[in-house]
Amino acid sequence: MVKDGIKIATIGGGSSYTPELVEGLIKRYDELPVRELWLVDIEEGKEKLEIVGNLARRMVKKANVPMEIHLTLDRKEALKGADFVTTQLRVGLLDARIKDERIPLKYGMIGQETNGAGGFFKALRTIPVLLEIAEEMEQLCPDAWLINFTNPAGMVTEALLKYSKHKKVIGVCNVPINMKITIAKLLNIPVDQLHLTFAGLNHLSFVMDVFVDGKSRLSEVIELITDPERQINMKNITPLPWEKDFIKALGIIPSPYLRYYYKTKEILEKELEEFKKGKTRAEIVKELEKNLFELYKDPNLDVKPPQLEKRGGAYYSDVACNLIASLYNDKRDIQTLNVRNDGAISNLPNDVVVEVNCLVTKQGPIPLAVGELPTPVYGLVQQIKSYEITAIDAAVTGSYEKALLALCINPLITNDVDAKNILDEMLEAHKTYLPQFFKNEKG
Amino acid sequence: MVKDGIKIATIGGGSSYTPELVEGLIKRYDELPVRELWLVDIEEGKEKLEIVGNLARRMVKKANVPMEIHLTLDRKEALKGADFVTTQLRVGLLDARIKDERIPLKYGMIGQETNGAGGFFKALRTIPVLLEIAEEMEQLCPDAWLINFTNPAGMVTEALLKYSKHKKVIGVCNVPINMKITIAKLLNIPVDQLHLTFAGLNHLSFVMDVFVDGKSRLSEVIELITDPERQINMKNITPLPWEKDFIKALGIIPSPYLRYYYKTKEILEKELEEFKKGKTRAEIVKELEKNLFELYKDPNLDVKPPQLEKRGGAYYSDVACNLIASLYNDKRDIQTLNVRNDGAISNLPNDVVVEVNCLVTKQGPIPLAVGELPTPVYGLVQQIKSYEITAIDAAVTGSYEKALLALCINPLITNDVDAKNILDEMLEAHKTYLPQFFKNEKG
Amino acid sequence: MVKDGIKIATIGGGSSYTPELVEGLIKRYDELPVRELWLVDIEEGKEKLEIVGNLARRMVKKANVPMEIHLTLDRKEALKGADFVTTQLRVGLLDARIKDERIPLKYGMIGQETNGAGGFFKALRTIPVLLEIAEEMEQLCPDAWLINFTNPAGMVTEALLKYSKHKKVIGVCNVPINMKITIAKLLNIPVDQLHLTFAGLNHLSFVMDVFVDGKSRLSEVIELITDPERQINMKNITPLPWEKDFIKALGIIPSPYLRYYYKTKEILEKELEEFKKGKTRAEIVKELEKNLFELYKDPNLDVKPPQLEKRGGAYYSDVACNLIASLYNDKRDIQTLNVRNDGAISNLPNDVVVEVNCLVTKQGPIPLAVGELPTPVYGLVQQIKSYEITAIDAAVTGSYEKALLALCINPLITNDVDAKNILDEMLEAHKTYLPQFFKNEKG
Amino acid sequence: MVKDGIKIATIGGGSSYTPELVEGLIKRYDELPVRELWLVDIEEGKEKLEIVGNLARRMVKKANVPMEIHLTLDRKEALKGADFVTTQLRVGLLDARIKDERIPLKYGMIGQETNGAGGFFKALRTIPVLLEIAEEMEQLCPDAWLINFTNPAGMVTEALLKYSKHKKVIGVCNVPINMKITIAKLLNIPVDQLHLTFAGLNHLSFVMDVFVDGKSRLSEVIELITDPERQINMKNITPLPWEKDFIKALGIIPSPYLRYYYKTKEILEKELEEFKKGKTRAEIVKELEKNLFELYKDPNLDVKPPQLEKRGGAYYSDVACNLIASLYNDKRDIQTLNVRNDGAISNLPNDVVVEVNCLVTKQGPIPLAVGELPTPVYGLVQQIKSYEITAIDAAVTGSYEKALLALCINPLITNDVDAKNILDEMLEAHKTYLPQFFKNEKG
C-alpha cells in the first residue's frame, strides 16, 4: 500500500474501457481512496495509452480527487507494491480477434471471442501472459489481488489458480450484473431488492432462482424473458428469441451466451452472413474503437463519453470497482465471481473455476453453496468444463496434440478434420503470440 | 424352468434376426439345453412370424436337437415360466424408423436410429412397451433374466432398472464384440487372447486399453485403426476415416458410433445426400429385409442364409447366446454389457446404466471397475447421460415439456426452434405408438 | 403476520431459558417488532410456564415495549399465523435427562445429553414430537421458519428436513458463538472484527481458519487455546486441557465437544466419578433450575437474573434473536447454523445437515462453501454422520434393530453386548415417551 | 524370467511360514513351473534362513520337482530378473511385536499387531523397507509383481501404490479365504460353489452377500454365524461371540477383526488379562515359533509339519500361490485382494487401497464394482481410512506431528494424552527401526 491510500495497477491500461474504470474509481473515492492508478501497456499500445491516460488525468482533475494517474510501459514498476492489479489486456489486439472470428467461419464453424475456436485461441494467447503477470506479482506485490477481466475470464482464472503460485486471483465478467439489471427492470424493482442465484461457468451460467423480499419470482421472470420483446441480452450477441416452451421446460434462466449452445444453427447462419459482409463483431468493434479514440483525444473532454456504452462492456467498471471496494472494506456483500468451486456446485470438482455468487470478505470471496446443477444443464456444463481443462492444459504446455484434442471435444467445432485445419491455420496466423507452440523451432 | 431344460421367450420373434439366434442356440445346445423357444409377435407381424418360425423349425430339425419352436401372439403364454426373455422388437416396424430418420433431416438435423432425434423417438415408443413386458415378467417368470436387444439399448435398460420392479435386466449390443473381432484381426491374434477395457455408454463407448498376454498394445492399435483402410466400423455407419492426430491425442479408441459426435458435420452431409435420394439407412434395410423374407420362405432352406449378414446385426446371436450360457452355467467370463454402473465408472452416478466389461455369474453380471473416464471424453459422456436421463423421464411420463427439453439438450439437435418443430411433427407421425403423450385427448 | 408486527411461538415456553429469549427480543425491538410472543407448554409444565410467563410480562412492562406475552397449552392456537416458531422443549424433562446420563454409565459408557447413548435417546424422544410440530406448521403457518434449539440440534434438523414437508427449518446451537466470543477475547479484539470458518456437525465442529482484517491468525489462536489456562470451553463440559502437540498437528480448532471423541477415556473417568456421587450434569442442572424458578417467582424481579448464566446456555438468546432478525430484515450477515449441506462441505452428501457458516437472507440461510474437510477429521465426522443417519431412521420408524445398530456403530458405545443391555433398559425407562417403539404392544 | 521357468524371490525367507509356501509351489508345479525360489533374509535371520532353507530343499527333493532353492542375504541378487517377489518380512522380528502389543496395554489401550497403536508402529517400521524393495524392483525386475503379505497389508500396499514408482503391487491376506472356507463348511457345500461379495479394507472387511447357485443365502449364514458355537474366527483373535441382534441389524457379515471395533471393551479386558500374565499373542507366537524351528531342524523332516497350522497363517500359501498362478496363467478367476479402489467401492476415493473381489488377469487384478458401502459401516471404514492415510504419511515423512495425529484419530486410542505417551515410549523402544523419525539427530 502506498502512503495513506491504495495503489492499483491496470494492465492493458490503454484500453478504450479505461475511462469507465476511472469514472468508477472517482465515484467511489470516499470508500476507496485510490492514491495511485498505474496504467500499463506495451510498446504497440503506447499511443492509445497516452490518449486514454490524458483523458483520465482530465477526469480526475475535473472531479477534484487526489488520485495520481501514472502511465508506463514498465509493468514491474507498476506492480511493485500494488494493492490491486486489474487485467484488461488483449494479446494481439483487435486484429487477432478478427482472425479468431473469421478463420473458423471459413470452415463453417462458429467464430466468437470466448466460445468455440475463437475463444480457444484467445485463451492460448492470453494464459501465458497472465501466468507471467501472476509470477511477477508473487515477487513484487504478493498480497495484492489480481482481478482478471480478460476473456475467456473463467479459463484464464482457472489457469492461474492451477498453475500459478499466486492464488489471490478472481475472475470477473459483466454478464451477471447485466442480467441482474435487466431482470430488476422487468420486475420494476430496484436492483438491490433482487437476489439472483447464479450457477455455472463464465459465459455458461444460469440463474437458478429469483428472490424478491424472500419469495421466488422465477416463473414470472421466465414468462417475461421468453417474450421476444423483453429478452435478456448483451450488446455483442445477436438477439435471437428463445423457444418459449424450451425455457419453461428448462425451468431456469440461461445467460444470453447460452444461445451459442442451444441455438447453434441459427447463430452460425447469422455469423456466416456477417462473415460474408466483412462485418463480424470484431470488425464492428474495431470501427467503434477507432471512433472512441478520436473522441478521447479531445482536450476538452473530461468525463467518460456516452458513446463508450455501445462498445459492449456495460457495467464492467461497476463490477471491478465494487469488487475492489468490498475486498478493501470487508463488505461481505454478494457478488457473482469466477472462483475455485470448492463444492459450491456440488456436482463439479472442487478445483475447477465456476461463476457463482460469493460473499466478498477482506480475506477474499467465499462461494455460496448452490447444491447440484440440474441434470439437463449439468451435461453441457461438464462438457464445456472438460474442454476448458483440456484447453488450459494445451495453453500451458504448448502441446499440439492437446490443442487439437481441445478443439475436437468442443461442441461448437463439429468435425475432427476441420478442427485440424482450423488449428493449423490459426497457429500460423497467431504465431507471434503463441511462442509455447513453437519453442522447438529454429530461428 | 421347463422339465429337463430351458425355456426362452423371444419378443419380436418375427424379426429377420431370429435365424441368427436359432443358429446360436443350436450350436450351444450341449451347454445350453433349450427345450422350448417361444417366438412371440404381434398381429401385424403374424406373417413374418410364420415365415421365420417355419425356417427355425427346419433348422432345428436339420440340426437334430430336441428344441421345440413355439409361435404365438399371446405374450403372457410365452413368458409364463420362462428362464430367459430376449427382446428384439421394433415398435412401429421399419416404417417408423424411416420417419425417425427422415423427419429430423428435413430440419437439417441428423436422423439416426439410436442417436439424435431419431433415437429419441425410438426410445419414446419402446420404453413403455418394455416396461409392460417387465411387469408381466414380475408376475409370470420373476426369476427370469430379461435380455434386451432393442435399441436404444442403454436407455431402455436404464428405464427398466429405474422404473420397473423386475431388476433382472441386462442390455446387450453387438458393437463391443465387433470391435473386439476387428482388433483381433488387425493384431492377427485369436479373439480369446485379446482383453479390451471397455467404458462408456451404449453407442458411446471407448476402448480404454488393449491387452495381449498381459501387455498393453493400445498405441499400436491406435496406429492401425487410424489408417483409413483399416478403420473399425459397423455396417450401418458411413466409414468416414478419423483424423489421425485427433485419435492419437485422444489416446483411446472410440466406438464407430462416436463419429456422430466427433464428425457431426461430415455425417450430416452424407445423410442429407442419402435423404435426397430416398436412401436413408432405414430405407435400405427395408429393402434388405424384404429380400430376406423371400429367402426365408424357401421350404428347402434349413440353415441361416449368408445374406443375413448384410443386415447389420453381425454377432448379435453370439452376444445373446454367450450371455445366456454364462448366466446359466455360472461361467464367470468377461462380457461387455449394459448394466447399472455401481461405481464401475467412478465419475458417473451409481444408478445410471453404462456399457462396461462385466464378470457374468449365475447371480448376474458384476461390472469391472474402470476408474475415472478421462477428462476429454468425460464431458461428452456426461452430456449424453444427462440427455438420456431426461429422455427416459419424458418416455415414462409422456410430458411434452420434458420431451422438448431432452431434444434441446441433445448435442445433435442444434437449435431450440427446430427441436420444437421436429417434436411436433414426430409426435403426430408416431401418434399411435405414443399413447403416453396423448392420454388426455378425447377420442 | 399479525397486524403491524411479528408473531413468535415458542414451544417449551416454560423453560428456564425463556427470560434470555425475552431479553433478546426486548433489546432488538426496533429492528424486530414482535407484537405477540406465544409461550406454549404441556400440562406437566403448566406451573413453570406461569412462573416464567409472568416474569416475561414484568420484563416487557419494565422495558416498555408493546409486546404481548401469551401463555397457552394449546399448541395449535400458538402456531396459527406465526412468523417464527422456536422450539426449546425437553421431552421427559430433566428426569429423562438424568436417566440418559446414568444408565449408560452403569454399563461403563459415556452418558451425555447429546453424544453417545444419552444423546441417542434424547433424539428418539424428540424427533417424533418435532415432526408433529412441523406438520402442524405446514397447516397453520406454512411460511413460518422453525428455529430449533432442542438437542441434539443437528440430528433433529436433519430429521425434519428429510421427513417433514415443512422445509423452512434451521437448527441453532450456542457453541459457535461461544467459541467466537472466547477467541475474540483471546485476541483482544471486538467480536465483529473476527471471521471464523466453521465446518462440521453440531457438537462436532471445527474452526478451520481465523481471520482478522483479512489475515489468518489461526496458528496464533492454536497456540493460545492449548494453554490450559485459556482453553475454549462450555459450562457443561469438564475443562480437560488438550494435548498441545495433538492440536498443533491437527492444525484446526476443535469445538469443546470434541473432547468426547479425542479424550474419551479421561471424560469417561470423570463422568464415572460424578455418577458415583450422584452428581451427573443433569442432576446439577436440576438443582440449578429449581433455584432459578424460585428466583423467577419473585414479583419484584423484572429483568433476566444473572444466575441464569450458570445454567449453560450462554448466548442462546443472541443466537436465536440474531437469526430471526436477519431472516426478517434480509440482513445477509454470516451466522453459523445447522442446515442442509448442499455441497458446502464437499466430502459430505448434499442432503445431510451440517453446521457451517451461512449467509442469512430473507429467503433463508445459504451455506458458504468450505471445500473438503481435511482427512484427519473427515473420518470421525463421517462416522458420526453414519450414526446420525441410522439413529434418525430408528427414531422415525421405531425399529428396534435400527436402534441397536445406531448404538453399536456409535464410537462412544464400545461393545455390542452392552449396547443391547443399554437399549433394553433405556427403552423400558423412557417407554412413555417412545410410543413408536411400542406401537404393536397391547394395552 | 529364468530360462524355461519362473523365478520367485521371497523377502523374509527365513520365516516359519516358508514351508507353507514351498508346499504350495510344489503342489502347483504343473501350472506354475517355478525353476528358482530365492529365499532372502537379513544377517540376524541367517540361522533361521538356513534351517528353513534346508527343510525347503528336502521338501523339493522328496516331491521330485526341479525347483532350485537359493538362500541369500543379498536382496539385489535375489530380485534380479525375478518374475514374482513375495514379502513376508517382519522388521524387528517378534520382539518388536511384543513391544507393539505390550506398550499400548500399559496405557490401557488395545495392543494388536495390525490395529490400534501396535499396528501403527508395525506400519512405521515396515513401510520404508517395502518402499526400498519396490525401488530396487523398479531397477532389477521392473515387470515383476510384488505380492505383499507383510502386515498391515492394506496400508503397506497403499503406501507402495502412492509413493513408489513400481505400481505392480498387490496386497494379500488370509482372512477372506478363511471366511470363505468357514462359510462353505457351515453351508456344507464345496468352496468353489460359494460366491462371497467382499468389501472393505484389510482387517476391516465385510461379506456383503453370499451366493450359492445364483441365489443369495446371506440371511441363513447370518443366522448360523451368530450361533456362538459356529462363529467365524481366526486363530489370533479371541473368539468372543457377536450380539446376534446386532449382526442381524447390520445385515452383512463382519470379518473377525471387526471385534476390535464393535467389541472394543471386551477385547481390551481380555488383552489386559493376557498382558498381566505375560501371555499376549506375540509372546505365545514366539514360543510357537521356537518349537517350530526345532522341528524344522530335523533332517528327516521333508514335508510341512502339521504343527505349523497353529501358528495362525492358515491358507496363506494358498492365497499367494493362487494369485501367482492366476497372474501367470491369465486365469481370470475371482480372488479377494488389496488393490487400488478405482471406484469399486463407490463411496471411497479412487486412489486408496481396498480389499475387494478382483478378477485376476495377466495384466493384473481388476476390482469388481460393489457400489456403495452401506451407511452403518461406511462411517467406520472412512474413519479407519482417514487414519491409514495419515499414518502412511507419518511413516513416509517421519513427522512426529503426523504420527501423533494418526494415533489420536485412531478410534482404538481413546485419549490424546495417552497417545503422546505411547508414541514417545514406542519411538524410543523401536528407535533402531525408525530412522525416518531420527534423521536430524546427531550420532
Side-chain angles (χ1 to χ4, degrees), chain D residues 98-393:
Chain D
I98 291 173
K99 290 174 193 166
D100 286 350
E101 290 181 0
R102 294 193 62 87
I103 296 175
L105 284 167
K106 244 176 83 178
Y107 296 90
M109 305 292 166
I110 280 176
Q112 206 267 336
E113 191 191 15
T114 55
N115 290 287
F120 175 61
F121 268 83
K122 194 165 196 312
L124 293 190
R125 294 194 302 275
T126 306
I127 286 170
V129 175
L130 263 291
L131 281 171
E132 218 176 277
I133 293 169
E135 203 171 297
E136 290 172 11
M137 287 179 66
E138 197 60 11
Q139 301 303 317
L140 301 167
C141 52
D143 286 337
W145 284 100
L146 171 51
I147 292 162
N148 175 58
F149 281 71
T150 298
N151 271 327
M155 286 170 69
V156 167
T157 305
E158 185 162 322
L160 289 168
L161 286 176
K162 281 187 174 164
Y163 294 98
S164 146
K165 264 188 213 157
H166 192 80
K167 298 294 180 201
K168 298 183 83 171
V169 176
I170 305 168
V172 289
C173 177
N174 65 340
V175 170
I177 202 170
N178 270 283
M179 291 182 75
K180 195 168 181 183
I181 289 167
T182 309
I183 292 173
K185 273 186 202 149
L186 288 173
L187 291 175
N188 204 18
I189 56 164
V191 173
D192 62 3
Q193 284 182 19
L194 185 65
H195 178 94
L196 301 181
T197 309
F198 275 97
L201 310 182
N202 181 237
H203 289 194
L204 198 84
S205 66
F206 297 84
V207 173
M208 311 296 289
D209 213 336
V210 174
F211 290 102
V212 182
D213 198 31
K215 306 281 176 202
S216 173
R217 292 178 66 178
L218 176 61
S219 53
E220 184 185 345
V221 174
I222 284 178
E223 198 64 39
L224 287 168
I225 60 144
T226 49
D227 173 349
E229 301 305 307
R230 311 205 215 184
Q231 39 178 317
I232 303 176
N233 207 10
M234 303 287 293
K235 279 266 155 41
N236 50 336
I237 304 177
T238 314
L240 300 168
W242 292 110
E243 169 53 54
K244 189 176 193 127
D245 284 343
F246 162 54
I247 302 301
K248 287 171 91 164
L250 196 61
I252 56 178
I253 303 165
S255 122
Y257 275 91
L258 264 302
R259 286 184 180 83
Y260 285 97
Y261 301 97
Y262 294 136
K263 303 183 83 65
T264 317
K265 192 181 143 196
E266 281 182 74
I267 291 264
L268 181 57
E269 285 164 4
K270 289 275 172 200
E271 286 196 353
L272 285 170
E273 275 173 43
E274 291 162 3
F275 172 73
K276 281 169 202 155
K277 292 187 217 155
K279 289 279 183 192
T280 67
R281 178 74 192 159
E283 289 162 314
I284 289 164
V285 163
K286 199 178 172 187
E287 188 71 21
L288 282 171
E289 287 232 336
K290 212 179 123 200
N291 298 338
L292 276 176
F293 277 95
E294 282 312 307
L295 280 173
Y296 290 178
K297 283 180 191 166
D298 177 358
N300 296 317
L301 181 74
D302 56 6
V303 293
K304 184 187 79 179
Q307 292 88 334
L308 177 50
E309 270 169 39
K310 282 199 196 139
R311 172 67 184 81
Y315 308 111
Y316 245 130
S317 149
D318 281 330
V319 171
C321 296
N322 285 346
L323 176 55
I324 295 172
S326 291
L327 289 167
Y328 181 73
N329 294 305
D330 196 20
K331 275 199 187 168
R332 306 185 181 188
D333 57 348
I334 305 176
Q335 300 187 22
T336 309
L337 301 168
N338 286 271
V339 295
R340 202 183 124 97
N341 181 37
D342 267 339
I345 296 177
S346 67
N347 45 2
L348 287 177
N350 279 3
D351 70 340
V352 302
V353 164
V354 293
E355 191 169 281
V356 289
N357 287 343
C358 296
L359 189 78
V360 184
T361 73
K362 191 153 191 126
Q363 70 265 26
I366 309 171
L368 303 188
V370 180
E372 293 200 350
L373 284 180
T375 299
V377 302
Y378 172 61
L380 176 61
V381 170
Q382 187 59 58
Q383 193 186 27
I384 296 300
K385 183 49 79 185
S386 288
Y387 150 75
E388 288 186 356
I389 293 170
T390 310
I392 290 166
D393 195 357

Side-chain angles (χ1 to χ4, degrees), chain B residues 2-7 29 33-37 66-68:
Chain B
V2 292
K3 196 162 157 289
D4 64 4
I6 300 164
K7 173 176 179 181
Y29 192 81
V34 177
R35 197 52 53 93
E36 298 182 14
L37 173 64
M67 191 192 307
E68 297 166 17

Side-chain angles (χ1 to χ4, degrees), chain C residues 107 243 245-246 249 262-266 375-376 378-379 382-383 386 401 404 408 414-416 418 420, chain D residues 107 242-243 245-246 249 262-266 375 378-379 382-383 386 401 404 408 414-416 418 420:
Chain C
Y107 295 90
E243 170 51 55
D245 284 344
F246 162 53
Y262 293 138
K263 303 181 85 62
T264 318
K265 191 182 143 196
E266 281 182 76
T375 299
Y378 171 61
Q382 186 59 59
Q383 194 187 26
S386 289
E401 282 205 350
L404 179 57
C408 290
T414 54
N415 206 40
D416 59 350
D418 291 299
K420 188 174 163 67
Chain D
Y107 296 90
W242 292 110
E243 169 53 54
D245 284 343
F246 162 54
Y262 294 136
K263 303 183 83 65
T264 317
K265 192 181 143 196
E266 281 182 74
T375 299
Y378 172 61
Q382 187 59 58
Q383 193 186 27
S386 288
E401 282 205 350
L404 179 57
C408 290
T414 54
N415 206 39
D416 59 351
D418 291 298
K420 188 172 163 67

Side-chain angles (χ1 to χ4, degrees), chain B residues 68-89:
Chain B
E68 297 166 17
I69 305 293
H70 297 256
L71 311 184
T72 182
L73 305 187
D74 178 350
R75 192 164 70 195
K76 294 192 180 174
E77 190 193 4
L79 293 178
K80 192 160 189 191
D83 299 291
F84 297 94
V85 176
T86 69
T87 47
Q88 55 184 48
L89 55 98

Side-chain angles (χ1 to χ4, degrees), chain A residues 173-231:
Chain A
C173 178
N174 65 341
V175 170
I177 202 169
N178 271 284
M179 292 182 75
K180 195 168 180 181
I181 289 167
T182 310
I183 292 173
K185 273 185 204 151
L186 288 173
L187 291 174
N188 203 19
I189 55 166
V191 172
D192 61 4
Q193 284 182 21
L194 185 65
H195 178 95
L196 300 181
T197 310
F198 276 97
L201 310 182
N202 181 237
H203 289 194
L204 199 83
S205 67
F206 297 84
V207 173
M208 312 295 290
D209 213 335
V210 173
F211 291 101
V212 181
D213 197 30
K215 307 280 176 202
S216 173
R217 292 177 68 179
L218 177 60
S219 53
E220 184 185 343
V221 174
I222 285 178
E223 197 64 39
L224 287 168
I225 60 144
T226 50
D227 172 349
E229 301 305 307
R230 310 206 215 184
Q231 38 177 319

